[in-house]
């Protein structure tokens, strides 16, 4: 069965029909079609008529079939045939070669007139819908009378289609119904059906705006009681007429205000958009924003929530400072289960937070975090908790007055959070301790109280650094030492572990001996690495990994991480102990030397234990060289602490704290620069021209153009304003050669997740090419949405073929194709191979930002790595420094640099930086660039390591970097 579908883009647009036929069906000849139309049953006639319609759309000449259709098909009463007849009347040739209307069309008019007067209301309605797509004045003129009579029909289905037909004919051929606006006005005054009234109001809005405004003025009090469709039509009238009827602005604003409380969500959304387009008054903006917040809270579809939140964010950007009071209301959207909706809502809340409402916002976020911690069964709970912690962190960083309460919350919940969330919380606590010296004592005390409940190595390292850096007084050092000793356990470390192992081995041996008297030892055959066989007895089998892990987790936290081979934490522990001893020895008044020597000896004992544990068989991985050297450095520092006290104090205390202080200052500077840049982009200069909407031309774009129908249509069609001025010629790809029988070129329009190929096909021969089709195949994560239909192209004529391709991931894809056609002779078939169409990955990559912890976590997690070696010629690098080369790579890959500017400052002949980008599909791309230029006349050498979760992104970015390297060399 052939599926048919018709659609009308607008009252003045041509009607397009899409017909998808069976690929295994052969096109019958003309005589067979005539015979089937003349003598066949209703089913055979319907099949033949479908073939005639499809052939006509593809360029076949079926003019001689017209009389057979009129004689043998038109008198039928079969409903399926009647529907196909309406499609045929729309596509069949109605004009002769001299441009005059064919005589046979008189018979068509009679049939159409009879259907307009048919007693069945659905046949009448279908005919009226067909008339709205008819454009020939000679055919329409004798049908005007019956069509006008249908406006008074008893059935609403006929009346609503009659109004639509009157509107379409009046716009296409206004001379046929010159009194259409008055006729529709009279119809609207007596009509009770809401759908019919909606069609009438839309007709007046397009063709007679004065009449539409007059009707709206008369029925303003009843608008609230209208049904949804009519209320949406009222919003359409207001948007279309607001510019020309400025005197009625008060009426329009009042109606929009009233419809904000409508029962329909669609009406509320349109009313809010219309209201902010009519007025920039603070009350109107707040009312519209409140409606958006209510819609985002009540909507069940996450896509609707995201769309409403996006509109609210745009409204906030246009009216800074007006919507700050809605921050608390917007937090109700956090009840939505989707993490994307929550992230978008929290981002808007952060932009609405000020010194006036920051306390309430943080209090609400604290309650939400406590609830998220308690609700650990949700799969998205860890990600949501981390998002809340990051939001609270950002809020406290911007508003220091809430930092104390936030630190208290984080330290109370630190043991209940996941490792990633706890690490983020510790990062914030460390930053607050640096910015607010008066809070350091309280932070250290609370952190030491929760120290025994910390288990993750990342969290323990952050806590050790804070304690070692900010425990300044002798009492704080003693308290910290006591807590650290409890977290380490029995000393010496290795001797204690050896005693426990010996006791466990003795107990195991005793149990095994007892068991061996009752049961014989079981054996199993094993294959050794060299290929030989060996027998393993159950008496020598080791405990399971789960049992060993359970045993380690029962130990004190610092001891457990050391036995888990986390010697990075061990090196941080050694550094913190050295800082505590040095600070305790330098306290004023000086403490007794016995206490200093006691702490010093105990610290050296712990450090030596870390090294010995790392070299013992109790750990699966021995201590690494870096950690070994760091611990040994701390031991030697304590050994010579009296001789080099000032040098060691600078190295262990002043320099480390100064480095972190510079890091915090750099982060604040980057944030301030971002705010300053955003403010500069939205700022209005003093000498900028002021646009007065009442004084602009009718076709000018006002200040509220982004709320207009035209702007919404462009956004829906995927035409962003930033690319509106870009010529389409830049995206045109030539597919065939100029000497080929068929010339083809494609315009590649990349729109988010879809790619539209608009292909122009030109027949360069003197013969008609039949059944011309383009067959596509894709490489990569590209999928052809639908196969393009076949066409017949006349000599030296052209046709347009559209194909949609779905994109599912950020990978460089390739589209292959072949043009296949028949002709010019019977049985001739030809094919032309098309040039490849490469889809650029840069269309989907966007620069993004993340903190160093997230970058390192993703770097460890991602398994696909692509290493690209970099080298330039001496000529190319003469006037190019390392930072300029970095900017060149960033521009080529569309990635953002995460390394602070102060870390890139200076000229040492070496540069290392981290780059980050994120695709529109949510895929992350990481890169680390390490390059050097020892002298001014030396070439730039080095490499770039790219990591991603998928292989395609890593390889594609590597290709872009290689291309950028080649372009620089040229």
């Amino acid at each position: 069965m052939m599926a048919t579908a018709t659609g009308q883009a607008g009252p003045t647009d041509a009607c397009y029909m899409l017909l998808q036929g069976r690929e295994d069906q052969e096109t019958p000849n003309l005589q067979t079609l005539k015979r089937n139309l003349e003598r066949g049953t209703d089913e055979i006639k319907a099949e033949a008529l479908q073939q005639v319609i499809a052939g006509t759309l593809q360029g076949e000449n079926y003019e001689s079939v017209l009389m057979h259709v009129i004689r043998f098909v038109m008198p039928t009463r079969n409903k399926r045939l009647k529907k196909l007849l309406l499609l045929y009347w729309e596509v069949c040739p109605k004009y002769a070669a001299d441009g005059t209307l064919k005589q046979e069309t008189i018979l068509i008019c009679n049939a159409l007139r009879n259907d307009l007067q048919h007693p069945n209301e659905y046949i009448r309605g279908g005919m009226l819908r067909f008339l709205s797509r008819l454009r020939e004045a000679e055919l329409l003129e004798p049908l005007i009378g019956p069509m006008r009579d249908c406006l008074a029909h008893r059935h609403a289905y006929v009346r609503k289609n009659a109004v639509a037909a009157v509107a379409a004919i009046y716009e296409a051929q206004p001379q046929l119904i010159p009194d259409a606006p008055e006729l529709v006005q009279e119809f609207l005054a007596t009509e009770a059906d809401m759908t019919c009234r909606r069609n009438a109001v839309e007709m007046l809005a397009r063709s007679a705006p004065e009449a539409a405004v007059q009707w709206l003025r008369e029925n303003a009090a009843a608008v609230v009681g209208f049904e949804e469709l009519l209320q949406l039509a009222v919003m359409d009238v207001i948007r279309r007429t607001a510019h020309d009827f400025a005197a009625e602005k008060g009426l329009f604003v009042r109606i929009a205000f009233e419809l904000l409380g409508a029962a329909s969500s669609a009406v509320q959304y349109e009313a809010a958009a219309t209201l902010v387009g009519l007025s920039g008054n603070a009350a109107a903006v707040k009312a519209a924003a409140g409606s958006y917040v209510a819609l985002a809270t009540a909507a069940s579809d996450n896509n609707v929530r995201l769309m409403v939140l996006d509109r609210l964010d745009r409204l906030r950007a246009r009216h800074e400072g007006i919507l700050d009071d809605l921050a608390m209301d917007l937090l109700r959207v956090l009840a939505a289960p989707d993490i994307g909706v929550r992230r978008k809502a929290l981002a808007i809340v952060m932009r609405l937070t000020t010194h006036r409402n920051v306390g309430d916002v943080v209090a609400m976020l604290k309650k939400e975090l406590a609830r998220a911690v308690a609700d650990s069964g949700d799969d998205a709970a860890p990600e949501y908790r981390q998002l809340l912690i990051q939001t609270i962190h950002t809020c406290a960083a911007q508003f220091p007055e809430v930092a104390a309460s936030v630190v208290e919350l984080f330290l109370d919940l630190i043991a209940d959070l996941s490792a990633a969330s706890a690490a983020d919380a510790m990062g914030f606590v460390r930053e607050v301790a640096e910015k607010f010296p008066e809070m350091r004592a309280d932070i250290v005390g609370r952190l030491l109280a929760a120290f025994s409940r910390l288990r993750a190595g990342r969290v323990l390292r952050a806590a050790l650094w804070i304690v070692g850096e900010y425990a300044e007084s002798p009492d704080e050092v003693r308290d910290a030492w006591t807590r650290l000793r409890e977290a380490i356990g029995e000393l010496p470390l290795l001797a204690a572990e050896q005693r426990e192992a010996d006791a466990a081995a003795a107990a195991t041996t005793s149990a095994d001996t007892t068991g061996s008297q009752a049961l014989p030892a079981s054996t199993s055959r094993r294959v050794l690495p060299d290929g030989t066989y060996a027998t393993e007895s159950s008496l020598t089998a080791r405990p399971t990994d789960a049992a060993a892990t359970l045993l380690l987790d029962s130990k004190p936290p610092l001891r457990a991480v050391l036995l888990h081979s986390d010697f990075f934490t061990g090196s941080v522990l050694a550094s913190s102990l050295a800082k505590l001893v040095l600070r305790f020895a330098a306290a004023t008044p000086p403490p007794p030397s016995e206490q200093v020597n006691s702490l010093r000896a105990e610290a050296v004992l712990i450090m030596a234990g870390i090294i010995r544990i790392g070299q013992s068989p109790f750990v699966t991985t021995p201590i690494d060289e870096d950690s070994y050297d760091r611990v040994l450095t701390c031991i030697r520092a304590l050994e010579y602490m009296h001789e080099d006290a000032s040098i060691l104090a600078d190295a262990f205390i002043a320099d480390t704290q100064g480095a972190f202080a510079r890091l915090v200052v750099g982060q604040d500077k980057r944030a301030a620069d971002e705010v300053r840049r955003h403010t500069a982009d939205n700022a209005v200069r003093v000498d900028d021209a002021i646009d007065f909407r009442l004084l602009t031309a009718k076709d000018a774009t006002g200040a509220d153009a982004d709320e207009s129908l035209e702007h919404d249509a462009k956004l829906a069609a995927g035409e962003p304003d930033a690319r509106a001025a870009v010529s389409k010629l830049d995206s045109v790809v030539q597919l065939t050669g100029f000497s080929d029988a068929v010339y083809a070129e494609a315009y590649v329009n990349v729109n988010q997740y879809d790619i539209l190929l608009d292909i122009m096909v030109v027949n360069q021969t003197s013969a008609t090419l039949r059944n011309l089709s383009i067959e596509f195949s894709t490489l990569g994560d590209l999928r052809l949405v639908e196969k393009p239909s076949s066409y017949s192209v006349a000599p030296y004529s052209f046709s347009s073929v559209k194909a949609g391709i779905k994109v599912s991931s950020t990978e460089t894809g390739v589209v292959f194709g072949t043009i296949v056609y028949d002709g010019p002779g019977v049985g001739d078939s030809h094919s032309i191979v098309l040039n490849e169409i490469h889809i650029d990955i840069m269309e989907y990559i966007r620069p993004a930002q993340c903190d160093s912890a997230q970058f390192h976590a993703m770097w460890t997690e991602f398994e696909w790595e692509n290493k690209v070696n970099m080298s330039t010629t001496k000529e190319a690098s003469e006037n190019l420094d390392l930072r300029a080369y970095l900017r060149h790579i960033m521009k080529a890959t569309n990635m953002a640099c995460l390394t602070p500017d102060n870390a890139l400052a200076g000229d040492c002949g070496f540069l290392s930086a981290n780059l980050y980008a994120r695709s529109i599909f949510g895929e992350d791309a990481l890169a680390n660039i390490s390059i050097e230029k020892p002298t001014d006349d030396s070439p730039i050498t080095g490499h770039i390591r790219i990591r991603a979760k998928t292989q395609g992104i890593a390889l594609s970015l590597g290709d872009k970097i290689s291309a950028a390297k080649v372009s620089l060399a040229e």
Side-chain angles (χ1 to χ4, degrees):
M1 181 67 65
M2 181 183 296
T4 64
T6 62
Q8 186 174 4
T12 60
D13 298 334
C15 174
Y16 295 93
M17 187 185 306
L18 176 64
L19 289 148
Q20 182 65 43
R22 297 198 303 262
E23 296 181 0
D24 58 344
Q25 183 180 14
E26 297 182 0
T27 303
N29 56 40
L30 194 59
Q31 296 301 324
T32 303
L33 288 175
K34 290 182 178 179
R35 183 174 62 252
N36 291 340
L37 292 172
E38 181 178 353
R39 302 175 185 176
T41 62
D42 287 345
E43 290 75 12
I44 295 177
K45 289 181 179 179
E47 188 72 21
L49 190 55
Q50 286 182 354
Q51 294 171 352
V52 170
I53 295 172
T56 303
L57 289 174
Q58 294 178 3
E60 300 290 343
N61 187 3
Y62 288 147
E63 292 187 13
S64 60
V65 179
L66 178 60
M67 281 307 301
H68 282 71
V69 174
I70 293 175
R71 291 173 56 194
F72 303 110
V73 182
M74 196 168 62
T76 185
R77 294 187 177 182
N78 185 281
K79 294 183 178 179
R80 182 185 173 198
L81 277 175
K82 280 189 171 294
K83 293 179 180 179
L84 289 173
L85 275 174
L86 295 180
L87 300 179
Y88 178 71
W89 300 142
E90 188 176 346
V91 302
C92 71
K94 307 176 185 65
Y95 292 94
D98 57 356
T100 60
L101 200 65
K102 291 183 178 181
Q103 296 296 328
E104 295 90 337
T105 55
I106 299 176
L107 302 175
I108 300 177
C109 286
N110 291 334
L112 299 181
R113 186 182 182 91
N114 292 335
D115 284 347
L116 279 177
Q117 297 173 342
H118 200 281
N120 188 312
E121 59 271 13
Y122 294 103
I123 293 180
R124 280 199 185 194
M127 182 54 61
L128 289 167
R129 294 178 63 184
F130 166 71
L131 292 183
S132 65
R133 300 193 293 269
L134 204 59
R135 295 293 180 266
E136 288 77 15
E138 295 85 348
L139 291 178
L140 290 171
E141 186 173 4
L143 304 176
I144 297 299
M147 183 186 63
R148 296 171 68 108
D149 296 338
C150 289
L151 289 172
H153 194 271
R154 59 181 177 79
H155 204 284
Y157 179 75
V158 177
R159 297 197 301 273
K160 75 174 184 178
N161 286 296
V163 174
V166 169
I169 295 174
Y170 181 73
E171 292 191 11
Q173 303 289 345
Q175 72 278 4
L176 297 180
I177 320 179
D179 61 337
E182 294 78 9
L183 184 65
V184 173
Q185 269 188 293
E186 295 176 2
F187 170 81
L188 190 58
T190 59
E191 180 59 46
D193 183 78
M194 288 295 177
T195 306
C196 298
R197 299 179 72 184
R198 187 275 308 267
N199 290 354
V201 170
E202 288 186 345
M203 184 269 177
L204 293 178
R206 291 193 300 265
S207 304
E210 299 88 353
V213 173
Q214 176 63 29
W215 174 85
L216 187 59
R217 190 184 301 112
E218 296 173 355
N219 296 270
V223 169
V224 180
F226 290 164
E227 292 184 0
E228 176 184 355
L229 293 177
L230 189 53
Q231 288 177 341
L232 291 175
V234 169
M235 290 293 97
D236 185 40
V237 170
I238 293 176
R239 283 197 298 269
R240 289 178 180 273
T241 60
H243 187 271
D244 296 331
F245 295 86
E248 303 295 338
K249 180 179 178 180
L251 173 66
F252 295 158
V253 170
R254 180 166 59 85
I255 293 175
F257 259 111
E258 293 175 352
L259 291 183
L260 288 178
S264 170
S265 299
V267 175
Q268 294 180 28
Y269 182 80
E270 293 296 333
T274 304
L275 182 59
V276 297
L278 289 171
S279 173
N281 182 269
V285 173
K286 286 183 179 180
S291 180
Y292 285 145
V293 172
L295 288 174
T297 305
S300 58
D301 191 338
N302 292 326
N303 293 324
V304 173
R305 285 192 175 109
L306 290 173
M307 180 179 65
V308 173
L309 289 175
D310 185 65
R311 179 60 68 91
L312 178 62
D313 194 22
R314 287 160 51 193
L315 185 63
R316 175 208 57 80
R318 290 177 54 200
H319 303 278
E320 290 284 353
I322 296 180
L323 307 181
D324 296 344
D325 296 337
L326 294 176
M328 294 300 296
D329 296 333
L330 188 57
L331 287 174
R332 292 181 293 160
V333 182
L334 297 180
D338 184 69
I339 189 66
V341 175
R342 290 170 168 175
R343 182 178 287 106
K344 184 69 175 179
L346 286 175
I348 300 176
V349 167
M350 284 306 304
R351 297 186 182 99
L352 296 177
T353 304
T354 63
H355 289 279
R356 295 179 301 169
N357 58 7
V358 62
D360 297 334
V361 170
V362 171
M364 185 65 183
L365 291 177
K366 289 164 64 175
K367 293 180 181 178
E368 189 68 17
L369 179 59
R371 186 189 64 81
V373 171
D375 185 15
S376 58
D378 189 5
D379 294 338
E383 185 178 2
Y384 181 46
R385 288 197 296 267
Q386 190 170 1
L387 177 62
L388 286 173
I389 289 175
Q390 292 172 354
T391 305
I392 297 174
H393 178 183
T394 306
C395 189
Q398 294 179 0
F399 306 98
E401 59 266 25
V402 298
S405 62
V406 172
V407 169
E408 180 180 352
L409 170 70
F410 283 173
L411 293 178
D412 290 342
L413 297 177
I414 195 70
D416 300 325
L417 299 175
S418 62
S421 301
D424 289 339
M426 292 303 297
F428 166 71
V429 172
R430 182 172 56 182
E431 184 177 340
V432 171
E434 174 60 33
K435 289 184 176 179
F436 306 102
E438 66 277 3
M439 297 177 58
R440 292 176 181 175
D442 183 60
I443 290 175
V444 171
R446 289 180 175 275
L447 189 57
L448 290 174
F451 204 91
S452 59
R453 295 178 293 161
L454 305 181
R455 291 290 172 180
R458 294 171 56 188
V459 183
L460 284 171
R461 289 195 293 270
L464 286 171
W465 190 91
I466 294 174
V467 171
E469 201 68 45
Y470 300 117
E472 298 175 346
S473 66
D475 294 336
E476 292 176 355
V477 171
R478 294 189 186 96
D479 189 17
W481 202 271
T482 301
R483 298 290 184 175
L484 292 180
R485 282 287 287 108
E486 293 175 357
I488 294 172
E490 185 181 356
L491 294 178
L493 291 174
L494 183 59
E497 290 299 319
Q498 188 65 50
R499 285 195 301 271
E500 291 183 11
D502 293 342
T508 303
T509 303
S510 175
D512 290 343
T513 303
T514 305
S516 63
Q517 297 174 358
L519 294 173
S522 61
T523 60
S524 61
R525 177 166 290 186
R526 297 280 183 175
V527 180
L528 298 179
D530 59 356
T532 59
Y533 292 93
T535 301
E536 181 184 46
S537 172
S538 62
L539 296 177
T540 61
R542 291 187 174 184
T544 61
D545 292 340
T549 302
L550 183 62
L551 181 62
L552 288 180
D553 291 340
S554 63
K555 295 179 179 294
L558 288 176
R559 195 186 201 93
V561 296
L562 290 176
L563 294 175
H564 275 297
S565 302
D566 187 359
F567 294 106
F568 183 27
T569 304
S571 65
V572 176
L573 172 61
S575 177
S576 298
L577 292 176
K579 291 178 183 178
L580 291 176
V581 173
L582 292 173
R583 187 173 281 112
F584 184 76
T588 304
S593 59
E594 295 81 2
Q595 297 182 9
V596 175
N597 292 333
S598 175
L599 292 182
R600 179 183 177 187
E602 197 167 7
V604 172
L605 180 63
I606 295 173
M607 297 176 193
I610 294 174
I611 295 178
R612 297 191 64 189
I613 283 286
Q615 297 172 341
S616 70
F618 293 104
V619 294
T620 57
T621 304
I623 186 171
D624 57 283
E625 186 176 349
D626 291 339
S627 299
Y628 178 86
D629 290 342
R630 181 65 176 169
V631 176
L632 194 60
T633 300
C634 295
I635 293 176
R636 291 176 177 174
L638 294 183
E639 180 182 359
Y640 299 102
M641 60 177 293
H642 295 299
E643 293 84 350
D644 303 322
S646 59
I647 299 176
L648 293 175
D650 292 338
F652 277 86
I653 299 176
D655 291 348
T656 57
Q657 191 168 353
F660 182 67
R662 289 192 296 273
L663 178 64
V664 172
V665 171
Q667 292 176 350
D668 294 342
K669 184 177 181 299
R670 286 203 306 273
D673 291 342
E674 185 66 24
V675 173
R676 193 180 303 109
R677 188 181 304 111
H678 176 73
T679 305
D681 293 340
N682 298 328
V684 179
R685 296 175 58 89
V686 177
D687 55 349
D688 286 348
I690 301 176
D691 293 328
F692 293 93
R693 294 180 58 195
L694 296 178
L695 302 179
T696 55
K698 291 184 178 180
D699 58 346
T701 302
D704 298 312
D706 58 320
E707 302 294 342
S708 64
L709 288 175
E710 293 78 6
H711 183 78
D712 291 342
K714 288 182 179 180
L715 290 179
E719 299 180 5
D721 294 340
R723 300 185 59 187
V726 179
S727 174
K728 289 186 177 181
L729 296 177
D730 296 337
S731 301
V732 172
V733 179
Q734 182 179 343
L735 301 180
T736 62
F738 293 109
S739 60
D740 290 325
V742 178
Y743 173 76
E745 63 181 21
Y747 165 61
V748 183
N749 182 17
V750 180
N751 177 31
Q752 290 285 328
Y753 309 102
D754 300 316
I755 299 175
L756 178 64
L757 300 179
D758 190 353
I759 306 166
M760 185 184 69
V761 179
V762 182
N763 180 7
Q764 301 191 114
T765 66
S766 58
T768 299
L769 303 182
R770 303 184 307 276
N771 300 326
L772 188 147
S773 64
I774 304 179
E775 299 177 355
F776 289 107
S777 61
T778 59
L779 178 65
D781 286 342
L782 306 177
R783 180 175 59 85
L784 189 65
V785 177
E786 59 182 357
K787 181 180 179 181
S789 303
S790 300
Y791 298 87
S792 293
V793 185
Y796 304 108
S797 181
F798 68 91
S799 179
S800 179
V801 181
K802 290 183 172 59
I805 297 177
K806 203 74 173 177
V807 184
S808 57
S809 68
T810 311
E811 293 188 15
T812 298
V814 183
V815 180
F816 307 91
T818 306
I819 294 180
V820 181
Y821 62 91
D822 298 333
V826 178
D828 293 345
S829 181
H830 303 276
S831 63
I832 301 175
V833 179
L834 304 179
N835 293 332
E836 301 172 356
I837 301 176
H838 293 268
I839 308 301
D840 193 0
I841 187 178
M842 291 299 105
E843 297 286 349
Y844 311 106
I845 293 291
R846 302 288 184 270
Q849 295 289 333
C850 69
D851 56 33
S852 58
Q854 294 173 336
F855 182 88
H856 291 300
M858 290 187 289
W859 187 270
T860 305
E861 176 187 357
F862 293 168
E863 56 183 3
W864 290 104
E865 178 173 320
N866 185 13
K867 184 177 180 180
V868 181
N869 293 322
M870 310 298 296
S871 62
T872 63
T873 61
K874 291 184 178 180
E875 295 77 10
S877 60
E878 284 182 356
N879 299 320
L880 188 69
D881 60 2
L882 296 179
R883 284 181 290 275
Y885 191 81
L886 173 63
R887 290 191 294 269
H888 175 72
I889 296 298
M890 291 169 55
K891 181 179 180 181
T893 58
N894 209 15
M895 303 182 77
C897 182
L898 302 182
T899 306
D901 294 337
N902 55 2
L904 299 175
D907 188 9
C908 63
F910 175 78
L911 184 145
S912 179
N914 293 329
L915 308 180
Y916 176 64
R918 190 176 180 86
S919 72
I920 62 175
F921 305 99
E923 300 168 324
D924 300 298
L926 314 176
N928 174 263
I929 178 172
S930 299
I931 52 179
E932 64 176 353
K933 185 180 180 183
T935 60
D936 294 339
D937 56 350
S938 299
I940 297 177
T941 58
H943 64 267
I944 297 180
R945 297 169 61 193
I946 306 165
R947 285 200 180 184
K949 186 172 291 187
T950 59
Q951 182 184 17
I953 300 179
L955 295 178
S956 300
L957 281 176
D959 294 340
K960 297 298 295 184
I961 292 174
S962 299
K965 179 174 61 175
V966 172
S967 65
L968 186 63
E970 295 176 352

